[in-house]
Amino acid sequence: MSTLLLEAERVKSYYHTREGTVKAVDDVSLDVENGIILGLAGESGCGKSTLMNTLMMKIRPPLYLVDGEIIVDGERISKMERKEIKKKIWGVKISLVPQSALNALMPTKRIIDFIRDVVKFHVDVSDGEIVSMARKRFEELNLPEDSLYLYPHELSGGMKQRAVIAISTLLNPKLLIVDEPTSALDVSTQKRVLKLLLDLKKFKIIDSIVFVTHDIAVLRQIADRLVIMYAGKIVESGTLEDVLSNPKHPYTAGLIHAVITPEPEIRKRGLVSIPGEPPNLINPPSGCRFHPRCLHAMPICKKVVPELVDISNGRKVSCHLVKA
Amino acid sequence: MIPPILKNLLRIKKFDISVSIILFITLVGIIGPFVYTVDPTALHAPPEVPPNNKYPLGTDSYGRDLLAQLLHGIRSSLYIGLTASLISLAIGVTIGAVAGFKGGITDDSLMLVTNVVYALPSIMLMMLIAAYLKERNPLFVALIIGLTSWPWVARAVRSQLMSLKSRDFLAISRMAALSDLKIMFEDLIPNMASYIFMAFVLLMSGAMIAEAGLSMIGLGVTRGVSLGIILYWAQLLESVRRGLWWWFIPPGACLVSLATSMLLLSTSLDEYFSPRLRGR
Amino acid sequence: MLLKVKDLSKTFIVGLLRKKEIHAVRKVSFNIKKGEFISLVGESGSGKTTTSRMILRILKPSSGSVIFEGKDPWALHKIEDLKWYWKQVHGIFQDPFASFNPLYKVDRILYQTFNLLNIESDAEKEHLVKESLKEVGLRPEEVLGRYPHELSGGQRQRIMIARCYLLKPKLIIADEPISMIDASTRAGILKLFSDLRNNYGTSVIFITHDLGLAYYVSDRIMIMHNGSIVEEGTPDEIMEHPKHHYTMRLKEDVPLLYRKWKGF
Ligand SMILES: Nc1ncnc2c1ncn2[C@@H]1O[C@H](COP(=O)(O)OP(=O)(O)OP(=O)(O)O)[C@@H](O)[C@H]1O
Ligand SMILES: Nc1ncnc2c1ncn2[C@@H]1O[C@H](COP(=O)(O)OP(=O)(O)OP(=O)(O)O)[C@@H](O)[C@H]1O
Ligand SMILES: [Mg+2]
Ligand SMILES: [Mg+2]
């Protein structure tokens, strides 16, 4: 077994709002091994971004870590002081490319000035070095050099996103979390970004990647393991091949069937969507959270929350249909 | 209940320290004169007495009570600082906002005016106006400072606005055919509130320093006291050489700590409102 | 013809000292008929967003013309005319995080549309807003009264779509409107666009990088590269007989579910 870069144990993080508690991440355990690319997929609003923020300990009210432990590269960050996390963990051990590229950049600062601020916060290097580091990474991401000297609003959507990826990997973190990094990119740039992520890993600049997306076809290209999330819980995980070719959870199957790609296999199959709506996370359905939309629901599904059980070699499913 | 934004701000040490200092000195300036009711301009105490029980901060060469002077001085310096910064803010924000929002020829001409005022050495301008006025009460001094120190605010507000203008949410409001005025007041100004407040704090510390500067060259208020005026007299009668420390240290320290805590306050606000990727 | 775009161009000038021109859009021309669903596909930075903003009357073109139902939106200045235009032509922006003013509840985005519609009664407004949210698969009680940062990316995108649904414009320009919406919800949203077309004759310019999606939903695909439209045709023509080398590359780069790319 390879070593674990990140371990999350029974993590619960909730938003306390006026309307009630949003159980956006509810009892999630997740390991990221050294040297893998882990893909996280799930419906919009199921808690993917929240989970990623939690793994980083980027937790601010109204979000609270209610329970659980998070260990990054041997350090128990769930117990650490925020200041220490900021200085020692973020950007250095684990870095997050947030979902919104524009909001991550400072609208009033040129990209290069922003990079200078970020880098100087963590390490002591000269301006010249920072510029050459940034230049190199920008070139690798196929961004014109001039764009370093522009303001964020002068870049196109895709360019902004790549700029944020470049900035996040500048300090060579061990684990890179990317939240929907390619959703604003055209396919060619997307492919380049994916290739770059693979290369960053190949050259050991970063060790592991957690890749969040709703686009399973993208995960198909790069992920080693797949984790499927539904309504704040992990419903299935396993190697990419296993999960795609033989989905065990009805929701996973539904998700895979809803993929649209220009392929004969899919044209034959037609477009299938999962009936019903995603559940309300303030007041989620009892038992299995998927049961109101599940075609195979049984009486037990309404009553008992299924555990995420290991069915073979790290393949985990949480469904009453599946026997361990 | 404390609003969440204040709660977060209170976690920043710089913010706590600077706000406490400012609040403390301000309260002393406001309440002090009511508690310690000695007339700061009365000349009947013995001259140049060091601090003792009767005169807690001593007296100056003319026999004026220095504690009374300090309390009134803080009050009028704060008054001048506040009035001057509000005047600059009003002019600066209006000019900057109109220029940034309207663009085109309006922008060009307003920025021309701004740059002209900016390029004029403002201390010269202040001296000219001040020397012209024989009678100068605190309001006049505040006006002089306020009317000359707005250009950087106008420029800063304009550039903020330019960057806000390119934000998508503005285009969204525009597509709902909201009027320019509505967009200005609903989308633009509120998003600049924190920034404008920062400018205000900076202006205020600048204005208090400028007041002292004017006073030191003999162009300060002609009636009443201010921190600058106390320092002016202290300097005129060579208090430093003659070791009359109780004369110049208290007003100097008040001025410096007010001005630096305001700078500190604005950096802490900047830190709170700007970092994004740096990790919040 | 609903919309005629002729020789539309935009040049940005950036940099303070070393001024530099960026030709973001170069002489783009195309027409759109009533009820037509067109996809605009192209690489990052090829000028898709810039084109859409010029049509939406947000960004002034450097040259060229936009004619909608015989009128040039850039010649309209009276507030009544502008209301008419934005009632007929409305857009969804690429970045759902930037589309919301962070200081207001998300309700504002939806209620703003009543500035363009003639609806007086508050009960009616509320009813319409709720209906539109349900249409895009959101529960009104879950999103109304919330601030934008309290919603996920896909939820925000759907609110923007609900806004268009409220207006029922004749032309919707949607810039990557569902890039953050997962496959299972996506089908419902696509159906919404086609319902609008069937029931109200709405035309759509769908900006996307996802050729697969474009292939499924559009009547016509336009491929944009470097500020120009380099190829256009029906989905079958584009997918089966791409002519421009750029289109071929685009086609190769679409991630597939059943095949892995070479070198990955
Ligand atoms: N600040 C907040 N306050 C209250 N609820 C929130 C907040 N942020 C997010 N939520 C809610 O938490 C749930 C999970 O949100 P999250 O952003 O993690 O979803 P996601 O899986 O990343 O979705 P997407 O793919 O659309 O980005 C959503 O139902 C959302 O409405
Ligand atoms: N406000 C601006 N000022 C200067 N240059 C700009 C501005 N907006 C866009 N550009 C430039 O124009 C070009 C086209 O940008 P545009 O946003 O239209 O691309 P896009 O096709 O939408 O790309 P993406 O798929 O990445 O969103 C880019 O090179 C960009 O840098
Ligand atoms: Mg998300
Ligand atoms: Mg774009």
Side-chain angles (χ1 to χ4, degrees):
Chain A
M1 267 303 291
S2 45
T3 50
L4 295 181
L5 204 52
L6 180 140
E7 295 172 71
E9 266 289 308
R10 310 232 110 172
V11 169
K12 291 184 182 170
S13 52
Y14 297 168
Y15 294 99
H16 291 303
T17 67
R18 294 168 300 264
E19 293 80 23
T21 304
V22 182
K23 300 190 183 95
V25 172
D26 205 9
D27 202 5
V28 166
S29 300
L30 183 74
D31 293 340
V32 182
E33 284 123 38
N34 214 331
I36 68 157
I37 298 184
L38 184 131
L40 178 72
E43 213 153 29
S44 165
C46 72
K48 303 183 295 291
S49 302
T50 310
L51 177 59
M52 293 307 118
N53 284 327
T54 308
L55 294 182
M56 294 278 294
M57 284 300 287
K58 276 203 171 171
I59 294 183
R60 295 219 140 213
L63 182 63
Y64 293 89
L65 181 66
V66 176
D67 199 9
E69 286 197 333
I70 300 155
I71 299 173
V72 172
D73 199 26
E75 307 224 36
R76 191 176 305 263
I77 63 168
S78 45
K79 290 267 156 30
M80 240 185 220
E81 282 279 323
R82 194 177 179 83
K83 245 195 223 137
E84 203 181 346
I85 298 180
K86 249 178 165 172
K87 195 92 194 170
K88 290 199 343 208
I89 306 291
W90 291 347
V92 187
K93 294 215 156 162
I94 170 170
S95 217
L96 173 73
V97 178
Q99 190 165 8
S100 158
L102 178 66
N103 283 356
L105 297 167
M106 279 285 299
T108 49
K109 282 206 171 122
R110 290 183 308 164
I111 307 282
I112 185 71
D113 295 329
F114 181 67
I115 292 181
R116 213 170 277 147
D117 282 3
V118 174
V119 174
K120 287 232 162 125
F121 182 74
H122 291 284
V123 281
D124 193 22
V125 285
S126 72
D127 278 10
E129 269 174 86
I130 296 178
V131 171
S132 68
M133 261 157 78
R135 251 199 210 143
K136 182 159 157 279
R137 198 47 56 80
F138 268 53
E139 198 186 300
E140 287 166 339
L141 277 162
N142 213 8
L143 281 162
E145 197 186 302
D146 288 352
S147 52
L148 272 174
Y149 299 93
L150 295 180
Y151 287 92
H153 73 264
E154 293 173 336
L155 299 176
S156 79
M159 289 157 93
K160 263 181 283 200
Q161 200 128 16
R162 278 176 285 157
V164 175
I165 295 181
I167 297 170
S168 309
T169 54
L170 224 48
L171 295 169
N172 306 347
K174 289 198 163 172
L175 174 64
L176 180 70
I177 300 180
V178 282
D179 195 351
E180 303 267 8
T182 57
S183 52
L185 301 182
D186 67 282
V187 286
S188 313
T189 315
Q190 165 173 292
K191 190 172 177 183
R192 253 184 335 242
V193 168
L194 297 179
K195 183 92 184 112
L196 176 95
L197 288 175
L198 281 181
D199 285 346
L200 286 175
K201 191 172 148 274
K202 195 162 107 200
F203 300 124
K204 299 266 189 273
I205 292 171
I206 46 184
D207 293 339
S208 305
I209 300 173
V210 175
F211 196 105
V212 180
T213 177
H214 59 270
D215 193 342
I216 296 189
V218 166
L219 291 182
R220 168 78 182 83
Q221 307 302 324
I222 63 158
D224 303 309
R225 286 183 69 83
L226 207 53
V227 172
I228 310 288
M229 201 166 163
Y230 182 79
K233 285 180 176 295
I234 289 180
V235 294
E236 181 158 6
S237 70
T239 63
L240 180 90
E241 299 294 331
D242 280 355
V243 175
L244 283 189
S245 58
N246 185 14
K248 297 276 190 210
H249 197 286
Y251 174 67
T252 313
L255 201 59
I256 294 171
H257 277 128
V259 173
I260 312 171
T261 54
E263 282 176 280
E265 286 89 342
I266 287 178
R267 206 168 324 161
K268 253 185 281 158
R269 189 191 73 193
L271 251 185
V272 199
S273 74
I274 302 173
E277 305 165 3
N280 180 339
L281 291 179
I282 294 185
N283 196 0
S286 60
C288 170
R289 291 187 174 179
F290 188 58
H291 85 259
R293 299 170 74 184
C294 184
L295 298 175
H296 312 281
M298 308 176 289
I300 183 176
C301 300
K302 217 176 188 158
K303 296 192 197 94
V304 183
V305 181
E307 276 289 313
L308 186 66
V309 289
D310 199 320
I311 52 169
S312 68
N313 286 333
R315 179 83 193 272
K316 293 180 183 161
V317 185
S318 115
C319 177
H320 292 300
L321 287 170
V322 181
K323 296 279 168 307
Chain B
M1 231 198 86
I2 313 174
I5 188 168
L6 195 61
K7 236 186 189 163
N8 285 330
L9 275 170
L10 285 174
R11 281 200 207 121
I12 305 176
K13 266 208 203 75
K14 276 188 208 163
F15 179 83
D16 296 348
I17 296 175
S18 53
V19 168
S20 327
I21 296 180
I22 296 170
L23 274 182
F24 176 72
I25 300 184
T26 309
L27 283 179
V28 168
I30 294 174
I31 302 172
F34 292 113
V35 179
Y36 190 79
T37 50
V38 177
D39 178 0
T41 51
L43 304 170
H44 32 247
E48 301 186 3
V49 186
N52 58 26
N53 282 342
K54 187 137 185 265
Y55 306 106
L57 281 182
T59 61
D60 67 5
S61 305
Y62 301 94
R64 291 178 292 202
D65 184 319
L66 279 170
L67 177 60
Q69 290 227 338
L70 185 71
L71 295 176
H72 285 268
I74 291 176
R75 187 190 258 188
S76 61
S77 281
L78 282 171
Y79 169 78
I80 293 173
L82 189 71
T83 318
S85 56
L86 286 179
I87 294 170
S88 317
L89 205 63
I91 304 176
V93 169
T94 315
I95 292 197
V98 172
F101 192 71
K102 281 282 169 199
I105 185 129
T106 322
D107 182 21
D108 291 343
S109 36
L110 283 177
M111 277 302 114
L112 188 70
V113 176
T114 307
N115 286 335
V116 167
V117 180
Y118 192 75
L120 289 175
S122 59
I123 191 79
M124 288 278 283
L125 209 64
M126 286 191 219
M127 279 163 61
L128 271 177
I129 307 177
Y132 181 73
L133 296 165
K134 289 282 161 311
E135 282 271 303
R136 296 181 297 269
N137 63 19
L139 182 62
F140 272 130
V141 173
L143 263 174
I144 294 169
I145 298 172
L147 289 177
T148 49
S149 47
W150 54 268
W152 73 266
V153 182
R155 280 191 180 184
V157 163
R158 174 178 171 273
S159 76
Q160 273 277 310
L161 208 71
M162 298 293 252
S163 102
L164 271 175
K165 240 171 76 172
S166 61
R167 304 280 283 275
D168 282 354
F169 62 73
L170 214 80
I172 293 279
S173 290
R174 190 157 282 156
M175 281 201 303
L178 298 192
S179 66
D180 283 359
L181 212 62
K182 226 171 164 173
I183 290 181
M184 182 98 128
F185 280 103
E186 287 184 7
D187 285 309
L188 290 173
I189 305 261
N191 273 294
M192 295 199 305
S194 64
Y195 192 80
I196 292 177
F197 183 68
M198 257 153 50
F200 166 67
V201 174
L202 281 179
L203 275 172
M204 182 137 170
S205 83
M208 285 186 335
I209 301 260
E211 183 275 327
L214 273 182
S215 301
M216 294 298 272
I217 50 175
L219 296 171
V221 292
T222 50
R223 252 191 275 147
V225 264
S226 71
L227 291 179
I229 287 292
I230 308 179
L231 288 169
Y232 170 62
W233 285 111
Q235 169 228 338
L236 208 64
L237 293 165
E238 307 203 302
S239 61
V240 179
R241 192 180 54 77
R242 295 196 289 137
L244 307 177
W245 54 270
W246 59 88
W247 197 347
F248 60 89
I249 286 188
C254 278
L255 189 64
V256 169
S257 42
L258 268 179
T260 39
S261 18
M262 281 179 186
L263 285 180
L264 202 64
L265 173 60
S266 91
T267 42
S268 69
L269 289 176
D270 185 36
E271 246 167 59
Y272 177 75
F273 286 110
S274 29
R276 295 267 164 72
L277 257 194
R278 229 184 291 163
R280 282 233 258 123
Chain C
M1 208 51 76
L2 189 71
L3 178 79
K4 282 188 196 167
V5 173
K6 188 131 191 1
D7 292 335
L8 201 59
S9 308
K10 179 76 193 178
T11 307
F12 290 109
I13 296 166
V14 295
L16 275 176
L17 299 175
R18 278 188 304 144
K19 286 220 192 312
K20 208 184 129 214
E21 291 189 344
I22 296 181
H23 297 278
V25 176
R26 309 166 201 243
K27 292 204 171 230
V28 161
S29 306
F30 58 88
N31 296 328
I32 293 174
K33 291 199 277 284
K34 185 164 183 284
E36 206 174 11
F37 200 120
I38 294 195
S39 290
L40 188 57
V41 183
E43 127 183 277
S44 169
S46 60
K48 307 182 295 291
T49 299
T50 308
T51 307
S52 75
R53 285 179 181 249
M54 290 190 284
I55 302 174
L56 284 168
R57 203 193 178 281
I58 297 292
L59 186 71
K60 198 159 175 52
S62 304
S63 64
S65 66
V66 176
I67 303 291
F68 175 81
E69 291 196 329
K71 289 200 181 104
D72 175 359
W74 285 99
L76 304 176
H77 295 289
K78 279 208 289 289
I79 197 84
E80 286 317 307
D81 295 339
L82 290 173
K83 279 188 182 176
W84 167 81
Y85 188 69
W86 281 314
K87 162 76 184 74
Q88 310 298 335
V89 182
H90 215 80
I92 299 167
F93 292 153
Q94 189 166 8
D95 185 345
F97 290 83
S99 298
F100 291 80
N101 186 337
L103 301 176
Y104 296 94
K105 293 178 177 158
V106 297
D107 310 29
R108 176 169 185 252
I109 288 262
L110 298 168
Y111 280 95
Q112 265 183 352
T113 56
F114 297 116
N115 200 30
L116 303 177
L117 299 167
N118 276 325
I119 291 160
E120 291 302 326
S121 112
D122 286 344
E124 173 81 6
K125 286 181 185 172
E126 191 181 331
H127 170 76
L128 286 172
V129 162
K130 288 192 169 155
E131 181 200 66
S132 70
L133 286 171
K134 283 184 201 141
E135 238 8 270
V136 295
L138 291 171
R139 259 184 296 272
E141 68 276 11
E142 231 179 311
V143 293
L144 290 178
R146 288 233 195 152
Y147 285 92
H149 70 266
E150 299 176 333
L151 298 177
S152 78
Q155 286 168 328
R156 295 190 215 192
Q157 278 188 327
R158 280 181 281 169
I159 291 181
M160 294 311 300
I161 297 171
R163 172 165 150 137
C164 275
Y165 183 84
L166 268 174
L167 284 168
K168 308 202 175 56
K170 287 189 180 152
L171 173 64
I172 297 178
I173 306 183
D175 196 350
E176 305 271 9
I178 55 175
S179 60
M180 292 176 191
I181 298 176
D182 58 291
S184 58
T185 324
R186 194 178 261 192
I189 304 277
L190 290 174
K191 186 164 169 300
L192 183 78
F193 279 111
S194 67
D195 285 352
L196 275 176
R197 163 161 75 166
N198 297 340
N199 300 337
Y200 304 95
T202 306
S203 310
V204 181
I205 301 180
F206 197 81
I207 300 179
T208 178
H209 65 270
D210 189 342
L211 202 56
L213 192 63
Y215 175 67
Y216 274 92
V217 298
S218 30
D219 302 322
R220 199 144 54 90
I221 297 180
M222 298 190 293
I223 308 282
M224 200 159 176
H225 182 52
N226 231 334
S228 317
I229 290 177
V230 294
E231 181 162 1
E232 87 171 84
T234 64
D236 283 323
E237 280 165 12
I238 297 274
M239 279 315 263
E240 269 143 47
H241 313 285
K243 292 193 188 67
H244 199 273
H245 63 92
Y246 176 67
T247 316
M248 293 179 208
R249 199 178 91 213
L250 208 56
K251 196 185 139 198
E252 260 168 38
D253 291 345
V254 177
L256 302 175
L257 190 57
Y258 294 97
R259 286 158 195 80
K260 215 164 165 166
W261 285 322
K262 274 194 221 92
F264 269 69

